[in-house]
Amino acid sequence: MKVLIVGSGGREHVITMKVAQSSKVDKIYCAPGNAGIGEIAELVPIKAMEFEKLADFAEEKKIDLTVVGMDDPLVGGIVDVFKARGLRVFGPEKKAAILEGSKAFSKDLMKKYHIPTAAYETFTDKEAAIEYLKTKASFPIVLKASGLALGKGVLICKDLPEALDGAEEIMGVRKFGDAGSQMVIEEFMTGHEVSVLTFCDGRTYREMSSSQDYKRAGDNDTGLNTGGMGNISPSPFYTKEVREYCEKNIFQPTVDAMRAEGREFKGVIFFGLMLTKDGPKVLEYNCRFGDPEAQVILPRMENDIIDVFEACIDGTLDQVELKFREEATVCVMVASGGYPVEYEKGKEISGLENFKGKQGIWCFHSGTAVRDGKIVTNGGRVLGITANGKDLQEARDRAYEAVSWVSFEKEFYRHDIAQREIMGV
Ligand code: AMP
Ligand code: GLY
């Protein structure tokens, strides 16, 4: 088979690695990719949002399967463009990707189908939102731009003045662009956060493994929210009891609700959950693998990933049993100084050769490029250093050891990834 992967981050790097392990695959392209992906796939200089150009390429090269890793093209309808041209593609159609593309949609879906989530109200009018905040809200409260905002359109406001500023940012000055034309105001929840990734064929879902994200830039959850500074899998808080509850009350009901709405979901549903004292509740849905959730989950998957992608497309996932190695995995993101605000690019990265031939230690590239034959930084999140181990402690030790192998000017990373799970707090 010839496979095309669409995206350019660490998530697409690990997807490409799994695709390369398939016995069915003999050629992989990635558009646009990065320096790490370029070592296992041929890079194609077409951007992820150039749907027609990507489809032209897939036709010309007789690509058998295209896999879309990123949210923007999925929410924008890349799958519909490919399908209309008779091209085989893994990922949800636009009408299903709305599960991530509109928080107003997903909240209404959960309400209609009694899927547990935080209480909320939706607003398209700023004045109405302000009136609600002044008269009905209790604090802290959470404001969310309804559309896609690189994981940054969520504001937790401790009091009314902060909430009024937040409403102005989202709906007034449109800090997150059109994503703020609609705003969700929701109840603040507390508890452990757990993510669960699932494959879905429209009817049946199969759970991958649980994971936990470290979203803030600084140690001990200080600093700004980021795309994810590290991740661990599995989550010790995702117990058998929690899992059974989620399967019955969240996962299958979501798949069924989408189908009942005529929005059959084929692809990956990423469930962001908060384990509250009243039980697990949905924080958010994503319509694709997480980044860096994929980096801690896919390396442990024993199945041929192509078989799983095809079962999702063909609606035969009920015949697939997913197998994951009973290990733990830890990913530490090495980022450019200043991320997530302002940072420089083009810094030469040294030490990458240390990963060659290592078992169970991976250097997934998030933001890298080749310049004058050298690998340089090309983004805020640069490398997702990932390691496995018999438990979280061993995986953590191995991941941090490997972090010390690489360096570039002004690099930074969190020092506490996996620590709170190891301590059980
Ligand atoms: P989201 O993009 O909706 O997952 O939100 C980003 C982050 O904001 C989540 O991972 C949580 O840490 C936090 N968050 C979102 N919604 C809530 C909520 N209702 N209560 C508390 N924290 C929240
Ligand atoms: N790491 C969070 C996400 O991919 O949305």
Side-chain angles (χ1 to χ4, degrees), residues 251-322:
F251 303 155
Q252 192 66 50
T254 300
V255 175
D256 294 344
M258 288 299 278
R259 198 154 66 90
E261 294 291 311
R263 297 173 184 274
E264 209 174 51
F265 193 106
K266 292 175 175 237
V268 171
I269 305 183
F270 168 142
F271 294 87
L273 307 169
M274 181 77 93
L275 309 184
T276 75
K277 64 174 175 15
D278 303 321
K281 294 187 181 180
V282 177
L283 274 171
E284 62 160 350
Y285 293 116
N286 293 318
C287 67
R288 34 103 195 148
F289 292 101
D291 188 337
E293 285 78 2
Q295 289 90 313
V296 289
I297 290 175
L298 290 180
R300 300 206 327 272
M301 191 171 94
E302 294 184 273
N303 303 66
D304 183 325
I305 201 166
I306 294 291
D307 292 343
V308 184
F309 287 150
E310 301 220 273
C312 291
I313 296 171
D314 296 335
T316 55
L317 199 58
D318 57 338
Q319 292 160 38
V320 172
E321 192 198 335
L322 293 185

Side-chain angles (χ1 to χ4, degrees), residues 239-409:
T239 58
K240 181 165 172 282
E241 190 190 13
V242 172
R243 179 179 177 174
E244 282 169 4
Y245 180 92
C246 292
E247 286 171 349
K248 183 159 168 272
N249 298 289
I250 296 177
F251 303 155
Q252 192 66 50
T254 300
V255 175
D256 294 344
M258 288 299 278
R259 198 154 66 90
E261 294 291 311
R263 297 173 184 274
E264 209 174 51
F265 193 106
K266 292 175 175 237
V268 171
I269 305 183
F270 168 142
F271 294 87
L273 307 169
M274 181 77 93
L275 309 184
T276 75
K277 64 174 175 15
D278 303 321
K281 294 187 181 180
V282 177
L283 274 171
E284 62 160 350
Y285 293 116
N286 293 318
C287 67
R288 34 103 195 148
F289 292 101
D291 188 337
E293 285 78 2
Q295 289 90 313
V296 289
I297 290 175
L298 290 180
R300 300 206 327 272
M301 191 171 94
E302 294 184 273
N303 303 66
D304 183 325
I305 201 166
I306 294 291
D307 292 343
V308 184
F309 287 150
E310 301 220 273
C312 291
I313 296 171
D314 296 335
T316 55
L317 199 58
D318 57 338
Q319 292 160 38
V320 172
E321 192 198 335
L322 293 185
K323 290 203 182 107
F324 283 82
R325 272 190 292 279
E326 300 265 332
E327 307 163 341
T329 331
V330 170
C331 171
V332 180
M333 196 59 78
V334 184
S336 303
Y339 173 75
V341 187
E342 259 186 35
Y343 51 85
E344 293 166 32
K345 296 182 182 177
K347 307 287 180 201
E348 188 178 344
I349 305 171
S350 64
L352 292 169
E353 67 284 355
N354 291 310
F355 290 85
K356 290 235 159 54
K358 294 285 191 308
Q359 290 295 316
I361 302 186
W362 303 270
C363 178
F364 295 118
H365 291 219
S366 293
T368 64
V370 179
R371 299 263 184 282
D372 304 324
K374 291 181 177 138
I375 297 184
V376 300
T377 66
N378 192 39
R381 296 192 296 175
V382 177
L383 303 170
I385 310 289
T386 307
N388 65 5
K390 64 178 187 309
D391 54 23
L392 282 173
Q393 181 71 58
E394 189 179 272
R396 175 185 147 85
D397 291 345
R398 282 159 52 79
Y400 275 104
E401 158 78 32
V403 166
S404 72
W405 299 345
V406 290
S407 70
F408 56 87
E409 207 184 306

Side-chain angles (χ1 to χ4, degrees), residues 9-41:
R11 164 182 50 209
E12 288 74 28
H13 193 176
V14 66
I15 293 171
T16 307
M17 179 186 91
K18 291 304 289 181
V19 167
Q21 286 167 3
S22 169
S23 57
K24 302 184 174 69
V25 173
D26 33 46
K27 178 79 191 173
I28 312 176
Y29 297 93
C30 182
N34 63 37
I37 298 173
E39 288 171 10
I40 40 177

Side-chain angles (χ1 to χ4, degrees), residues 85-122:
R85 292 175 60 168
L87 294 161
R88 208 162 150 81
V89 55
F90 174 80
E93 289 177 10
K94 185 174 184 171
K95 68 180 183 204
I98 191 174
L99 196 59
E100 172 168 3
S102 167
K103 289 187 195 284
F105 169 85
S106 66
K107 294 296 287 190
D108 289 348
L109 184 88
M110 288 186 265
K111 187 188 259 180
K112 182 169 173 188
Y113 293 91
H114 310 291
I115 297 167
T117 188
Y120 75 101
E121 296 286 336
T122 309

Side-chain angles (χ1 to χ4, degrees), residues 116-172:
T117 188
Y120 75 101
E121 296 286 336
T122 309
F123 297 89
T124 45
D125 174 43
K126 188 180 81 175
E127 296 312 319
I130 288 174
E131 183 60 23
Y132 176 87
L133 289 169
K134 283 184 174 163
T135 56
K136 300 218 174 69
S138 56
F139 299 90
I141 202 155
V142 185
L143 309 187
K144 300 184 173 184
S146 177
L148 288 185
L150 293 168
K152 291 174 190 152
V154 175
L155 305 177
I156 295 172
C157 306
K158 68 173 185 312
D159 52 24
L160 180 62
E162 263 191 37
L164 294 176
D165 287 348
E168 181 58 27
E169 268 184 29
I170 293 175
M171 301 191 89

